[in-house]
Amino acid sequence: QRHASRHSQNLGAYSCGLWSLFHIMSIGVMERHKAVLGERDRVSTQHAAQTLHDYIQHFFGWCEECQTYFTTMFAKCAFHHCKKFRPYSKPSQRHIPPPPQSWQEFPLWLWRVHNDVNEILLKKETQEQHGRAPTTTELESVQWPSKEDCPLCYTGRGGPSSPKRWDEEKVLKYLKKEYWPGGVQNFRFVVLDKKITHSTEDNGGSILFSKWTLLLMIIAGIGSQTMWQSWKRRRRRYILRGHHHKRF
């Protein structure tokens, strides 16, 4: 596997694992939203993306470059997420479930971010090592998924960075197959309330408990086996081909 960070080669596998977990979460939100009752806006694509942003902002200190990229990109509404993740045009519409296609925007947005990171890393690498910009062939080599992994994901139009290059419906199917292949199992409804503050005498403070956090933990738990099976499949392909197209 090609390393995602030049800070330390040991971070390559760790970063890849985090990306896998992020993708599992994005697909999980899309797949599980139908089981959410109560405060449905707390499991919206906008809320999920903001939760991911907050995690990277506060817990990615081991890679300041990653933190800076993600928080800056997010603040600038990169890949139009500010518009695509807004489920309601008016507060009075909050009780109305967002359209089905809106749930697909989170995993697709994260996929676009992932490819953007791949391209940025490649440009930095070729500039530092060869003093030049990457070639078209090199740019194509870091696009994910690769043509070998998902030939139907490619339309045959546009350059490596062009949106016209991708069939996003096929990309979404690939992401679901890769990170959530079994679909929703043990379907159960999850009821989300408003945040509840619990007082405790042990530490003299208070604990802010959010059932949204619990939902993410459930998704991560369900997805852990999926990630393990997905990793084994990718590892087999990596061994057979002798290279890996996903850089981060």
Side-chain angles (χ1 to χ4, degrees):
Q1 177 176 334
R2 305 183 72 174
H3 300 293
S5 174
R6 299 184 70 255
H7 298 297
S8 169
Q9 290 188 347
N10 294 329
L11 293 180
Y14 180 66
S15 300
C16 186
L18 282 176
W19 269 114
S20 295
L21 182 59
F22 293 162
H23 286 299
I24 288 172
M25 183 188 76
S26 70
I27 295 294
V29 170
M30 180 184 73
E31 291 288 280
R32 290 284 293 165
H33 79 276
K34 295 179 182 179
V36 175
L37 302 176
E39 294 291 312
R40 295 179 61 92
D41 59 306
R42 290 180 53 212
V43 72
S44 67
T45 51
Q46 187 178 39
H47 189 108
Q50 184 65 51
T51 301
L52 177 60
H53 165 272
D54 294 346
Y55 173 79
I56 292 176
Q57 183 180 33
H58 296 293
F59 299 104
F60 249 56
W62 54 271
C63 181
E64 293 183 2
E65 186 178 3
C66 306
Q67 273 184 323
T68 301
Y69 163 79
F70 196 91
T71 54
T72 302
M73 173 275 301
F74 196 87
K76 292 182 178 180
C77 296
F79 305 105
H80 311 291
H81 75 82
C82 292
K83 181 178 180 180
K84 292 183 177 181
F85 291 173
R86 185 178 300 162
Y88 317 101
S89 58
K90 298 179 181 179
S92 60
Q93 297 177 330
R94 294 183 61 168
H95 67 285
I96 303 174
Q101 63 270 22
S102 70
W103 300 102
Q104 303 173 6
E105 292 298 339
F106 184 34
L108 286 174
W109 172 79
L110 190 61
W111 159 72
R112 297 184 192 103
V113 172
H114 198 154
N115 266 339
D116 190 46
V117 170
N118 288 348
E119 191 169 313
I120 290 173
L121 290 172
L122 175 66
K123 290 177 179 179
K124 181 178 180 180
E125 182 180 294
T126 55
Q127 182 62 42
E128 291 181 349
Q129 295 184 5
H130 308 290
R132 61 171 175 81
T135 64
T136 300
T137 301
E138 290 171 332
L139 287 171
E140 290 180 344
S141 72
V142 299
Q143 296 298 300
W144 172 69
S146 66
K147 289 183 178 180
E148 290 88 346
D149 289 340
C150 186
L152 295 179
C153 291
Y154 289 78
T155 64
R157 296 176 292 158
S161 303
S162 172
K164 296 180 180 180
R165 180 182 181 82
W166 301 99
D167 184 329
E168 293 190 352
E169 182 178 349
K170 299 296 192 301
V171 170
L172 187 64
K173 289 182 178 179
Y174 172 84
L175 293 174
K176 289 177 64 175
K177 179 181 178 181
E178 190 77 2
Y179 295 106
W180 206 274
V184 176
Q185 301 178 13
N186 299 323
F187 188 92
R188 295 179 181 179
F189 285 104
V190 178
V191 181
L192 295 182
D193 303 331
K194 294 183 179 180
K195 292 182 179 180
I196 304 173
T197 301
H198 297 278
S199 298
T200 174
E201 297 179 356
D202 295 335
N203 55 18
S206 63
I207 300 173
L208 188 62
F209 176 76
S210 171
K211 287 188 178 180
W212 164 247
T213 303
L214 177 61
L215 179 61
L216 289 184
M217 292 172 63
I218 293 172
I219 291 174
I222 294 173
S224 61
Q225 291 183 341
T226 303
M227 183 169 65
W228 170 247
Q229 295 297 328
S230 176
W231 180 85
K232 290 197 295 186
R233 290 196 304 272
R234 290 199 302 274
R235 181 64 179 172
R236 276 198 296 269
R237 291 197 297 266
Y238 166 72
I239 294 173
L240 291 173
R241 293 204 304 264
H243 62 282
H244 186 42
H245 289 270
K246 187 166 56 167
R247 297 170 57 83
F248 201 148

